[in-house]
Structure formats: C-alpha cells, structure tokens
Amino acid sequence: MKKNVFYFLAYAIAVGANLFWVDVFAQNIARHAFSAGFSVEVPTQWRYSEKNYDLTNTYFIAHDWQNEQSRAIVEMIGLQLSDNQTWDDFLRVQLNNLVDDTLNYNIMLDGARHYPLYVPYNYLSFSTQSTEQFSDTYTQLLLIRRARQVFVIKATTATNLLSDYNTIFNKIFNSFKLETQQYTNPQGKYKLSVPASYSIVTQNTANNYLQIVPTAEAANDTVSASISLIYLPTNDSTTLNDWVANEALDVMLQYTNGQNPIEQDTTFFASKTPVKVLKYATTIGTTPVDVENYYWFLADKQYILSATYQTKQKKATQKMLQSIISDFLIINY
C-alpha cells in the first residue's frame, strides 16, 4: 500500500464515488479536528464526505458541488513511514510511482508558500489524464510529516477551473494545524502551548523552571530546538532594559568571548507586552549552535524563554518561538 500510495493519490478521484462514503452537508463548520492530532479548514458550503479510514487511509473527502456535479475535491489522507525509512526515501518512492502516472509534475520546496509547521513538508503539483469526474485535471499535494506520521492534503479540480479554486486550495493548505499540548503552571500563573512533537522533560516548579524538547522519534524533524522557560519574582527597581543589559554582559563573559549579542525589541502579538531579545552564536562541545533569549515582564513575574538550535533551523525556530509567546497566557491574576 505504501509503495503505491501515489498511484492511489492520482486516481482515487476516478473511483471515489464507489468507496464506502456517505455524503453529508457541512453545516457552518469551518475547522474540522481529528483524533490523529490535527485540524484543517474546509469551506462550510462544501459537501463533506467520510470514508472508513481503516480501509482507505482517508480522513475525509470534501467537494464543491454545483449542478449535481463536483467541481473541486479536497481529500485528507493519513500514511506512515515504514521502519527505518527516511523522509527523503519516502518522497523518492512516491515520486517514482507518480512520474509514470501523470502528464507532468513539479516539486516546490518554497517554505514561504505554506506555513512551515515546524516539521518537514513538501508541496507537489501535477496533471493527470481524464477521470470519470473531470477531463484534464490538476492536482496539488501538501505532504506533512510529524515523526513517523505523514499527512497528505490533496486538492484536485479540472485544469480549466484551477484559477477559480487556487485561492481556496491555498487557504485549505494553510489552515492545516497540528495539535499542541497545553501546559498549565499554577505557581507561575501561566499557560503555555507546547509544540507538536515536543514533550516536557523538566518541570521543576520549586525552581521556576520548565524545559521542552522534541520527542525521540521526532528528533530529526525540521525544528529540534531545546526550549526552556524560567520565571522569577519581579524587582521593582529593575527595568526591562537594565535586566537585559546585565544578561548581555553575562553572555559576553560566558558564551561569546566578549562579542556583543544581537539585541532586538518586539512585543506580544496580542497584549503588546514589550519583549527584549538577545541572540548569539556559541558552541556546545564542538557543535556550533544559535541561542535566542526572550525577556518580558507580566503581572508580578519576569520571564525568560530560551531556545538553543542549529543554525540551519533558524527561520522555523523563530516562527515557533513567536507562536509560543503569542499563545502565552497569564492565569488566576
């Protein structure tokens, strides 16, 4: 099944009407959440169809129906990497199967097109020959890996209708969201969203310290930063600028051989709370790494969020840190 999955992806539409699913109409539902740990948005006016996932590897099929005819179809498919199979090996097998069954295809690795998700993903598009429902078709695939799981969003329409549906397809792709865990610390009076594929490895409330790292099976994913959060009582005589200036001095003395760290200002996206950032390069053993420290005051606490990661993970790590800070909530205050 895994070996021929792209054969299934390319031609499932042609036989889809015969695959044990019952049409229902989505009623004012924009985002559908699934027990597999993800959610995705489908236009509320589309007809929403369910399959038997155990038999077909499909979470759902959604159609834009007009005049008793489907004009566009979006399918959500779940797969697994086989034992010891790498992400590159998986993609290579799928492409080898795909190329024989399509008119043309191309691969896009542009991280700006779809939200990086902090895990590996690929975007593909290709044309197919006629099916029962369409003449020439154009299909777009977004393949997302979380550890050994692979989520495939497949969007298909007739080639001559692509301009009508491209924006809708992009919105569906961009709406895909992996579940995050919600961590609550009553002593620190905060809630924190732990990214998908991460787990809490240290939770020391007595020392006001929390550390989260990728799970073992996700260690090779795009982002594998070690993240820690520390909170301390505020000192009325210390400003944010003074605090960060002292931190910068410590960094210069301990980690950067006297080189000034990069200092930046930002804010919480929702509350507009001022946040100071220190960024610097150092080594752990012989491995070069980047470090980013975020400092802020909220209520009666001062917080430090720190991330250590390899330089190649910089862009995705920064987006993940911004998401964590944006979702940060003070409770019971």
Side-chain angles (χ1 to χ4, degrees), residues 64-176:
D64 185 15
W65 286 83
Q66 295 184 24
N67 302 320
E68 303 300 322
Q69 182 175 331
S70 178
R71 291 167 55 87
I73 298 176
V74 169
E75 187 168 4
M76 188 78 207
I77 300 164
L79 301 170
Q80 289 281 129
L81 269 67
S82 60
D83 293 342
N84 302 318
Q85 186 180 34
T86 68
W87 181 233
D88 288 341
D89 289 341
F90 174 84
L91 292 174
R92 191 176 300 110
V93 169
Q94 314 316 325
L95 286 173
N96 287 340
N97 292 328
L98 175 62
V99 68
D100 293 333
D101 300 319
T102 60
L103 300 178
N104 59 73
Y105 71 92
N106 62 75
I107 307 172
M108 296 185 64
L109 302 177
D110 181 5
R113 183 181 176 101
H114 300 294
Y115 197 64
L117 301 165
Y118 325 126
V119 289
Y121 73 99
N122 278 85
Y123 171 84
L124 293 83
S125 61
F126 59 90
S127 299
T128 61
Q129 297 176 353
S130 300
T131 69
E132 289 182 10
Q133 288 161 308
F134 299 119
S135 53
D136 290 339
T137 67
Y138 194 85
T139 297
Q140 301 173 56
L141 295 173
L142 183 62
L143 300 95
I144 305 149
R145 176 168 74 89
R146 180 179 63 184
R148 310 305 293 176
Q149 286 181 291
V150 180
F151 303 100
V152 182
I153 306 177
K154 175 187 172 225
T156 302
T157 188
T159 302
N160 64 342
L161 296 176
L162 182 61
S163 60
D164 296 336
Y165 286 100
N166 218 22
T167 299
I168 295 173
F169 288 166
N170 282 334
K171 286 181 178 179
I172 293 172
F173 289 151
N174 289 324
S175 75
F176 181 88

Side-chain angles (χ1 to χ4, degrees), residues 216-269:
E217 62 180 0
N220 293 323
D221 281 354
T222 300
V223 178
S224 55
S226 175
I227 302 170
S228 59
L229 177 70
I230 304 169
Y231 68 90
L232 304 166
T234 57
N235 185 330
D236 292 339
S237 63
T238 301
T239 67
L240 183 59
N241 286 337
D242 290 340
W243 179 26
V244 175
N246 288 332
E247 291 282 318
L249 180 59
D250 287 342
V251 166
M252 292 169 61
L253 293 175
Q254 297 186 52
Y255 303 110
T256 64
N257 296 320
Q259 298 297 313
N260 285 318
I262 297 172
E263 183 174 337
Q264 296 177 342
D265 294 299
T266 184
T267 62
F268 274 117
F269 296 103

Side-chain angles (χ1 to χ4, degrees), residues 11-56:
Y11 290 96
I13 289 179
V15 297
N18 300 317
L19 289 175
F20 20 93
W21 37 282
V22 179
D23 290 329
V24 294
F25 284 94
Q27 297 178 349
N28 302 319
I29 298 174
R31 182 172 288 278
H32 304 274
F34 295 85
S35 59
F38 72 91
S39 62
V40 66
E41 292 180 3
V42 176
T44 55
Q45 74 273 20
W46 283 31
R47 181 172 292 183
Y48 180 70
S49 308
E50 291 186 352
K51 283 187 180 181
N52 184 327
Y53 173 69
D54 292 334
L55 296 178
T56 67

